[in-house]
Amino acid sequence: MSDVVPIKPTITAGGLAEARRASEGGFKVSLTHVGIGDGNGAGYAVSRDQTALRRERVRAPIGGGEIIGPSAVSLTTIIPPGESFAIREVGFYTGPVLFAVWSDSVELADRPSIASLVLALNLYLLGVPADAVTVSTSGMSLNIAVAGPLTDFSLAITQLQGRALAQDVESFTKIIRGTFR
């Protein structure tokens, strides 16, 4: 996925409690993971009382993130390949606590079965000041701007290796035929 998708999740009661507890202690809530699910095949109206996604299929660490405005955080994560499904719900976690949840009847994306999915999401923190939130990253830098060129470069290398292998096979075939005549 090459576009940054703005979504407006609902901050859960658990997420708000975590933000309040952290703020009172002079700390910030640390977003650590993104969960994705299929919502049992449909989008739904999220609830502040939610403690889990309806059908979470994958949870991945946040690879990169930054505060981009007074009430907005930009996050990136890599969803590894696996069973394909339509992403209709996304959860943002602070440790084991579901901090915020989003769902829609229109799918956000499809999880591919043979390639990783890079998700870049702008999380709008309605009701929680952005300065009360920080992002804990896995240390992977996920610069979306290089994803396309990197894919093109990888394809070119693979094609070059294929040509070199074909030439080696042709060369060795001639040697083998000449040896066993």
Side-chain angles (χ1 to χ4, degrees):
M1 179 173 188
S2 59
D3 296 327
V4 175
V5 178
I7 64 174
K8 293 183 180 175
T10 298
I11 307 298
T12 66
L16 200 52
E18 286 291 312
R20 190 173 299 121
R21 196 171 16 258
S23 179
E24 288 170 358
F27 300 102
K28 294 184 179 194
V29 170
S30 181
L31 299 178
T32 59
H33 290 78
V34 173
I36 60 169
D38 63 10
N40 279 331
Y44 57 90
V46 300
S47 163
R48 288 197 182 280
D49 296 325
Q50 255 182 271
T51 58
L53 297 180
R54 286 212 175 147
R55 188 166 175 215
E56 183 173 326
R57 306 280 297 270
V58 179
R59 190 177 298 189
I62 293 171
E66 63 181 326
I67 306 298
I68 57 171
S71 295
V73 178
S74 178
L75 306 170
T76 53
T77 189
I78 296 178
I79 304 299
E83 184 181 347
S84 183
F85 62 90
I87 300 170
R88 290 197 175 89
E89 60 180 346
V90 178
F92 300 90
Y93 292 87
T94 174
V97 176
L98 181 62
F99 179 81
V101 63
W102 168 90
S103 182
D104 199 307
S105 59
V106 177
E107 66 189 57
L108 179 66
D110 281 322
R111 178 192 188 192
S113 59
I114 60 172
S116 294
L117 173 66
V118 177
L119 283 179
L121 302 162
N122 286 345
L123 171 60
Y124 292 95
L125 303 166
L126 305 177
V128 177
D131 64 356
V133 175
T134 186
V135 179
S136 259
T137 66
S138 63
M140 282 184 280
S141 176
L142 302 176
N143 187 339
I144 301 302
V146 301
L150 187 57
T151 301
D152 294 342
F153 180 66
S154 297
L155 178 61
I157 287 174
T158 303
Q159 290 171 337
L160 180 62
Q161 289 172 333
R163 285 194 301 271
L165 179 62
Q167 289 173 350
D168 287 348
V169 168
E170 183 180 334
S171 178
F172 288 130
T173 302
K174 289 179 183 175
I175 292 170
I176 292 170
R177 285 189 182 150
T179 304
F180 294 103
R181 283 193 181 198

